[in-house]
Amino acid sequence: MTTTTATPPVGPRDIALAHYAGRALLQRVLDRHGMTFEQSVTLRLAAIADGPLGRGQLVDGVTEALRIDAGEVHVVLDELITARLLAPDGEAEVQITDAGRELYATTSGETAPLTARIYDGIPAEDLAVTGRVLTLLTERYGAELATLTR
C-alpha cells in the first residue's frame, strides 16, 4: 500500500521559521562586517535611493520595513553617520558615503550566492504565488498592527 502525504498549507509558524532562518544567515554575513540587521536595512534604503534622502523619509522607510519605533531608527542612523557610512547632507537629509556604498555592495555580494542556492530549483510559478500570498499577509498584518497601536 502506497501512502501519499499531502503538503500541509503554510501557516504563521512556517513563515516565521523561514524569516528567522534567512535573517540568521544574513546576520552571519553582517557579523563579519560589524553590522546589525537594522543597520543593513537602513543602509540598503540609502543605497538604492536616487540621491540624498530626507532623514524623516529614511526613518519612515525603516520603521515601515521593520515595524520598529522611530526612536530606534534615529539611533541606527546616528550609528551609521558615526561610522561614516551615511553622511548628513544639509540640515534634514542624509546620503550614503562611498564607504557605505562599498559595504552595501560587499554584503550584497556575499549574500547573493547564498540566496541563489536557496531559491535554486523552486519553480517560478511557486515563487509568484508565494509573493502574492506574502504581500497580502504583510498588508493584513500591517492593518492589524495599526489597529492595535491606535
Side-chain angles (χ1 to χ4, degrees):
M1 175 177 185
T2 305
T3 305
T4 57
T5 306
T7 302
V10 71
R13 182 175 186 276
D14 303 305
I15 293 168
L17 290 174
H19 163 75
Y20 285 116
R23 185 167 170 175
L25 188 64
L26 174 60
Q27 192 60 57
R28 294 282 171 97
V29 171
L30 298 176
D31 285 347
R32 291 196 298 260
H33 300 282
M35 289 189 75
T36 67
F37 178 71
E38 294 79 9
Q39 290 170 339
S40 156
V41 170
T42 305
L43 196 62
R44 178 188 178 280
L45 289 177
I48 64 172
D50 289 330
L53 288 167
R55 188 176 174 113
Q57 180 184 5
L58 189 52
V59 167
D60 289 347
V62 176
T63 300
E64 176 68 21
L66 299 181
R67 312 293 183 185
I68 60 175
D69 183 75
E72 294 176 62
V73 181
H74 282 287
V75 170
V76 171
L77 280 175
D78 291 340
E79 292 168 351
L80 292 171
I81 290 169
T82 298
R84 297 198 161 123
L85 300 171
L86 294 179
D89 186 1
E91 290 185 30
E93 292 188 328
V94 293
Q95 67 177 352
I96 193 166
T97 64
D98 289 342
R101 195 167 300 287
E102 183 179 324
L103 180 57
Y104 173 72
T106 298
T107 57
S108 296
E110 290 178 16
T111 57
L114 304 172
T115 302
R117 284 195 301 272
I118 291 163
Y119 281 73
D120 185 43
I122 300 174
E125 36 308 330
D126 288 353
L127 292 173
V129 169
T130 302
R132 288 192 301 272
V133 170
L134 290 175
T135 297
L136 179 59
L137 289 173
T138 300
E139 290 169 0
R140 289 180 177 183
Y141 277 119
E144 289 297 326
L145 184 60
T147 300
L148 293 173
T149 55
R150 284 186 195 150

